[in-house]
Amino acid sequence: MKKLKLILFFFSITTALLAQDAPMQKLVLSPEHPNPGDEITITYNTANGPLANAMHISGVVYTFDNFKWIANDITLKPSGDKKWETKMKLSSHASFINCVFKSDTIVDKGEKFPHAYMFAQVPGSYTGWGILRSKAFENEVPNVVHDSAFIADQVGLMWINYELQYHPESRKKIFYYGLKLKKLASGKDESVAIKKELRSLLTDTNLDHTTQYDVQKTLNLLENTKDKVFIDSVQKVLLTQYPLGVLARDRKIQEIFREVDFAKKVKMFTDFEKNFPQNKFEDVYTDLESLYYDKMVKSIVYGYIVNNKDYNYALNSVKTVSFGNLLDYHWHLVSIPFNRDHDGIEKSSIETLKKYADIIMGELENRLTFVPKMYEGKLSLNEWKQQALQMLAREYFTYAHLAEKTKNYDLEEKYLAKIKPLYGYNDAAYNEVYIRMLLRKGQTADAKNYMALAVKQNQVSPEILTSLKEIYLKDGGAATGFEAYLESLKSLSNIEGHKKKVISELINLPIAGFDLESSKGGRVKLADQKGKIVVLDFWAMWCGPCKNAMPGMKMAVDKYKNDPNIKFYFVDTQEYIKDYKEQTQAFIKEKGFDFNVLYDGKNPKTGKMDVAYEQYSKAFKFSGIPEKMIIDADGRLRWMSNGYFGSPSELLDEISIIVEYLKSEKK
C-alpha cells in the first residue's frame, strides 16, 4: 500500500510537470488517467498557439512502448472554441506519449513544453520522458521536441534514476542510457561503474538483440586504449554466447564488405544470409549496418553485372534489399541507360528498360506501405511517404518518361501527377513532358496556361517555346508580336534578380590562346577572334549534363546567328574512343544542332585529348564539364560557369546577359 501511495503521489507531480502551461493546457486526454490499451480522446487546444487559425490539423503520436518508439499518424477534427480532437487506441505497453501537431508547413512541437503525457505506473515512463529531451540521444529517439525543450544531462540522469526507483525491473532496458548520462553529467571517468554494470549484465545468457547492441554501445563509452582488455573480453563473451547474434553479424558484414575476391565474397554472402536472415534482425539497426550493409550488397549485385553481364541477380533480389538499394538499382539499371538512349548514344532496348523498371518500381511502391526499420519509431507512415517522395522523384520522372516512350499514357500521367507538387513549373525537363501530355490529350488551354507559368519561372525548353508559339498563332496572334508576348509572361523581378546575380560574376583576366581543329573544316585560333565576343562550351560525348545543356546553348546560338561579332565554339574534350569525331558529328546531326565543334588537341604530357581544357582548368582553377567561358572583344576572359542546372531558358538568359553587357561596353 505504501508503494502504491508513493507512485500515485509521484504520478500527480509528473502530470503537473507535463502540463506546465496550465491553466491553458494544450493537450488533454480523456479519460483523464488512461491505461495502456485504452481508447482515448486527444483534445488539442490551439488558442494562442501557432495553429490557432489552421483550417485542418493532423499530427503524429510518438509512443514509448516496451522501451521502443512507435509513431502513429492522427487526423483531428474541430470540436469548437479553437479545440481539435481525435480518438486513438493506446498500444498495449504504452508508458509515455508525445504529440506533434501540423497544418501545411506549420508544426507545433510545444516548444519548451512538449505535448506529452506519462503513464507513470508503466515501466519505461520516466525513461521515455527523459531521453526524448536529452540531446545525448537526439539521433537515437524521434527528433520531435523543440530545441528549447532539451534538458541538462544531470536532469536526464534524474529521470533515469526515477525509473530505477519506481521500476527496478527496467534496469536491463535502460543501463545504456543511464551510464551515458552519468558519464556526461559527471564529466569524469566512469569506467568502474560501466564495467561493473556490464559484468553483472553478462551473467544473463539470454540477452535479446536490443540488449546485445546496448552492450556494444556502452563499450563505446570506454577508452579504447586504456580499457582495451576489458572491451576485448566483453566482445569475446558476446561472440561466444551469441555466435549468431548482433556483434557476430556486424563483424561478418564488415568482413564481406572488405573481401576483394568476388567469388569468395559471393560465397561468404550466401552463408551470411543463411546464418543471419534479415527477418530475424528487424528489431535492431546498428551503426555498422547503416555504414556497410547496403554497400556490401551493392558490391555483389554490381559485381555480377560488371563481371558476368548478369542482371538477374539484381532483379531477383528486389524483395530483400533496402529501399536505398532499390533506388540505386533503378538509377543504374533504368535511368542512366534510358537517358543515354534519349541522348542518342549507347542505345538500350526500351523493352528491356521497361521490364527492369516495372520490377523495381513495383517493389519501390510496395515499400511505401510500411516504414523501413532504419526509420521505425522516428517517422510515421505518412512522414515516411513524404520523405520517400523526395527520394523517388527523379526515378518517378524517368518512369513517367519511359511510359511516354512506350505509349503507356495512363501510367505516364499517374507518375507525372505524383511529382507535380515537386517539379511542376519549376523544372524544364518535367515541364516539357507534362506539356506534351496535355497537348496529346487535347487540353490546349491548360497547356497554354501551364506554359505561361513555366515561362514565368524561366523553366522552358526550345520545344516548349515552339508549342507556345503555335498556340499563340492559332489564337490569332501575329508572328511579329510573339517575342513581345513572351516577354510579357516573364517575371520582371526574376529577370532583374537573375541579371544582377550574373553581372556580379563578371571577371577580367588574361587568357592564353588555342589552335584547334574545327568540325566545319580548317582550324580555329583564339588569336584570330579579336574584336569578337567568343563563347566557349567545353563538353564531351560521355557527359550527360553537357548534352542536357545543349538545347539552351542552341537557343543562344540561334539568338545570335546573324551577329558576325558573336562566335560560339563547342570544344569536344577528354574523349577516349577512337571514332569520337564520327560519333560527335552523328549526335550533333541527329539533334539538329548547327554547332561549330572544336576537337581538343592531344596533350603531349598525358596523351589525353585535353590540351586546351587542361590549360584553362589549371589557370582558372575549375574541374569537370560542362564548363562555359565568355571572352570579350579584347581577348580577355570575362565570365565562367561550371555545370548545368536544368533550364534551357535560364542558360540562354545567362549567356545573353553577359553578351549584351560586353556589347554595351564597346558603345
Side-chain angles (χ1 to χ4, degrees):
M1 177 63 77
K2 184 176 181 181
K3 184 176 180 181
L4 178 61
K5 286 182 178 178
L6 269 174
I7 290 177
L8 290 174
F9 172 72
F10 201 78
F11 175 76
S12 65
I13 293 175
T14 55
T15 301
L17 284 170
L18 296 178
Q20 293 175 65
D21 55 342
M24 235 297 287
Q25 198 168 337
K26 298 290 186 183
L27 179 71
V28 175
L29 303 187
S30 178
E32 186 177 357
H33 302 302
N35 295 304
D38 286 353
E39 182 174 75
I40 62 171
T41 298
I42 296 175
T43 301
Y44 167 51
N45 190 337
T46 66
N48 302 316
L51 302 184
N53 298 315
M55 301 301 292
H56 54 86
I57 295 179
S58 61
V60 181
V61 177
Y62 300 88
T63 304
F64 200 48
D65 177 284
N66 206 16
F67 301 91
K68 290 279 190 179
W69 291 99
I70 302 171
N72 290 307
D73 294 296
I74 55 173
T75 301
L76 293 88
K77 296 180 179 179
S79 59
D81 196 24
K82 296 288 184 180
K83 294 178 182 177
W84 295 69
E85 69 178 33
T86 191
K87 293 182 183 295
M88 72 170 287
K89 185 177 175 63
L90 292 170
S91 57
S92 56
H93 297 94
S95 59
F96 173 82
I97 62 172
N98 186 82
C99 302
V100 173
F101 302 104
K102 310 172 184 180
S103 182
D104 297 323
T105 59
I106 303 174
V107 179
D108 182 5
K109 297 181 178 180
E111 296 195 352
K112 188 176 180 180
F113 308 113
H115 305 302
Y117 188 93
M118 272 179 57
F119 303 89
Q121 73 276 26
V122 183
S125 52
Y126 304 109
T127 299
W129 181 229
I131 65 175
L132 189 71
R133 297 173 299 142
S134 292
K135 202 163 183 62
F137 306 113
E138 63 179 334
N139 295 321
E140 300 178 54
V141 303
N143 184 18
V144 294
V145 297
H146 193 272
D147 287 349
S148 61
F150 281 126
I151 54 178
D153 296 324
Q154 293 87 341
V155 180
L157 183 60
M158 176 194 77
W159 286 101
I160 297 297
N161 285 330
Y162 282 146
E163 180 75 41
L164 291 173
Q165 180 179 355
Y166 295 106
H167 300 293
E169 69 274 25
S170 300
R171 192 175 197 96
K172 191 191 297 186
K173 298 290 187 181
I174 66 169
F175 68 93
Y176 160 68
Y177 299 123
L179 290 169
K180 184 169 184 176
L181 287 170
K182 183 178 178 67
K183 180 179 180 180
L184 291 170
S186 71
K188 299 176 182 177
D189 180 0
E190 296 292 347
S191 59
V192 173
I194 292 170
K195 292 175 183 178
K196 180 181 178 182
E197 190 71 31
L198 290 180
R199 286 192 185 101
S200 173
L201 189 72
L202 290 173
T203 60
D204 185 340
T205 59
N206 193 32
L207 301 179
D208 62 23
H209 287 158
T210 302
T211 310
Q212 290 175 40
Y213 186 47
D214 283 346
V215 171
Q216 290 178 226
K217 291 191 291 184
T218 303
L219 288 176
N220 292 332
L221 302 176
L222 297 171
E223 295 181 24
N224 282 333
T225 303
K226 183 170 73 72
D227 300 309
K228 185 178 187 306
V229 173
F230 179 80
I231 293 171
D232 289 346
S233 68
V234 171
Q235 290 177 338
K236 184 176 180 180
V237 171
L238 288 174
L239 293 171
T240 302
Q241 292 185 353
Y242 309 100
L244 300 179
V246 177
L247 180 59
R249 180 174 181 266
D250 271 357
R251 292 276 180 90
K252 189 58 68 174
I253 289 171
Q254 203 164 24
E255 182 185 354
I256 298 170
F257 172 74
R258 290 173 174 169
E259 178 56 54
V260 294
D261 184 283
F262 183 67
K264 189 175 179 181
K265 184 192 287 273
V266 170
K267 174 64 169 60
M268 291 168 68
F269 183 66
T270 301
D271 293 340
F272 173 84
E273 288 186 301
K274 292 176 182 176
N275 295 327
F276 304 96
Q278 277 290 81
N279 61 353
K280 295 291 179 63
F281 288 87
E282 290 299 318
D283 56 346
V284 65
Y285 187 69
T286 70
D287 286 343
L288 196 142
E289 179 181 0
S290 72
L291 285 172
Y292 294 110
Y293 185 85
D294 278 2
K295 294 174 185 175
M296 171 187 71
V297 173
K298 282 196 291 188
S299 69
I300 294 170
V301 168
Y302 294 129
Y304 270 102
I305 294 172
V306 173
N307 297 330
N308 308 323
K309 304 299 181 187
D310 181 359
Y311 292 81
N312 289 323
Y313 189 90
L315 300 175
N316 292 336
S317 70
V318 296
K319 297 289 184 184
T320 58
V321 298
S322 70
F323 183 86
N325 272 2
L326 280 174
L327 273 178
D328 201 74
Y329 284 9
H330 199 275
W331 169 243
H332 281 97
L333 304 188
V334 181
S335 292
I336 290 177
F338 174 74
N339 288 329
R340 282 175 176 165
D341 177 74
H342 184 58
D343 286 338
I345 65 165
E346 297 186 37
K347 297 287 187 182
S348 301
S349 163
I350 290 293
E351 292 73 22
T352 299
L353 294 183
K354 183 179 184 303
K355 172 190 169 184
Y356 294 169
D358 287 345
I359 292 171
I360 299 168
M361 192 57 69
E363 183 57 29
L364 281 167
E365 293 285 18
N366 181 54
R367 300 299 180 88
L368 301 182
T369 62
F370 60 91
V371 180
K373 75 171 184 176
M374 67 184 296
Y375 298 116
E376 277 185 350
K378 296 182 178 181
L379 296 178
S380 70
L381 183 58
N382 284 342
E383 288 175 322
W384 161 240
K385 288 178 179 179
Q386 292 167 11
Q387 180 167 311
L389 177 61
Q390 301 283 340
M391 301 163 71
L392 280 164
R394 180 182 67 185
E395 306 314 312
Y396 275 172
F397 180 57
T398 296
Y399 196 52
H401 202 173
L402 181 58
E404 179 193 32
K405 291 289 185 182
T406 56
K407 295 182 168 53
N408 192 340
Y409 297 131
D410 289 343
L411 190 66
E412 175 202 12
E413 187 170 359
K414 174 184 174 182
Y415 280 88
L416 288 177
K418 281 177 178 284
I419 55 176
K420 188 178 180 183
L422 301 178
Y423 284 179
Y425 312 111
N426 298 311
D427 183 279
Y430 175 89
N431 293 340
E432 190 172 276
V433 177
Y434 192 84
I435 289 164
R436 280 204 300 266
M437 179 197 72
L438 293 176
L439 292 173
R440 187 179 61 248
K441 294 173 66 178
Q443 298 176 0
T444 307
D446 290 340
K448 182 180 179 181
N449 291 334
Y450 189 99
M451 285 187 271
L453 290 170
V455 170
K456 185 175 183 180
Q457 296 300 318
N458 208 7
Q459 294 289 325
V460 295
S461 66
E463 179 183 319
I464 293 173
L465 292 179
T466 298
S467 297
L468 181 58
K469 187 172 184 179
E470 288 175 359
I471 294 173
Y472 169 80
L473 295 175
K474 284 181 181 178
D475 287 347
T480 54
F482 179 71
E483 289 301 322
Y485 166 70
L486 192 62
E487 288 299 314
S488 73
L489 298 177
K490 296 180 179 179
S491 165
L492 292 178
S493 60
N494 286 351
I495 292 171
E496 289 304 314
H498 192 201
K499 184 176 181 179
K500 184 177 180 180
K501 175 183 177 298
V502 174
I503 293 297
S504 72
E505 297 168 352
L506 278 165
I507 53 178
N508 195 332
L509 299 170
I511 184 170
F514 60 75
D515 181 353
L516 300 175
E517 178 188 352
S518 169
S519 63
K520 301 281 189 181
R523 302 184 69 82
V524 172
K525 297 180 181 179
L526 182 60
D528 294 339
Q529 310 300 311
K530 286 288 179 70
K532 298 179 175 62
I533 294 170
V534 176
V535 181
L536 299 179
D537 185 355
F538 285 86
W539 70 289
M541 280 293 288
W542 49 262
C543 172
C546 298
K547 291 186 283 188
N548 291 339
M550 285 189 169
M553 292 303 294
K554 179 182 185 301
M555 294 167 78
V557 170
D558 289 347
K559 178 174 180 177
Y560 293 105
K561 64 183 178 182
N562 295 321
D563 190 332
N565 293 317
I566 313 297
K567 295 294 182 180
F568 287 82
Y569 297 111
F570 293 79
V571 184
D572 186 17
T573 187
Q574 302 177 56
E575 297 289 9
Y576 53 86
I577 56 176
K578 290 183 179 179
D579 63 342
Y580 73 88
K581 292 181 183 179
E582 290 79 4
Q583 286 205 26
T584 296
Q585 285 307 304
F587 169 74
I588 294 296
K589 182 178 179 181
E590 178 185 345
K591 295 298 181 182
F593 299 147
D594 186 20
F595 292 166
N596 192 341
V597 176
L598 306 183
Y599 302 113
D600 209 346
K602 189 172 184 178
N603 193 324
K605 292 179 291 183
T606 65
K608 296 179 180 179
M609 309 303 291
D610 67 352
V611 65
Y613 175 82
E614 186 196 39
Q615 175 182 235
Y616 291 154
S617 64
K618 285 185 176 180
F620 304 114
K621 296 179 174 56
F622 65 80
S623 63
I625 51 177
E627 172 71 27
K628 293 168 181 57
M629 309 172 78
I630 298 182
I631 301 163
D632 68 15
D634 295 323
R636 294 181 68 81
L637 178 63
R638 302 301 303 277
W639 185 76
M640 300 164 53
S641 176
N642 189 260
Y644 176 62
F645 305 101
S647 171
S649 57
E650 195 167 71
L651 177 56
L652 165 65
D653 285 352
E654 287 178 350
I655 301 296
S656 300
I657 288 167
I658 298 300
V659 167
E660 294 303 320
Y661 182 89
L662 298 181
K663 287 169 66 177
S664 70
E665 284 186 329
K666 292 299 179 181
K667 291 181 179 179

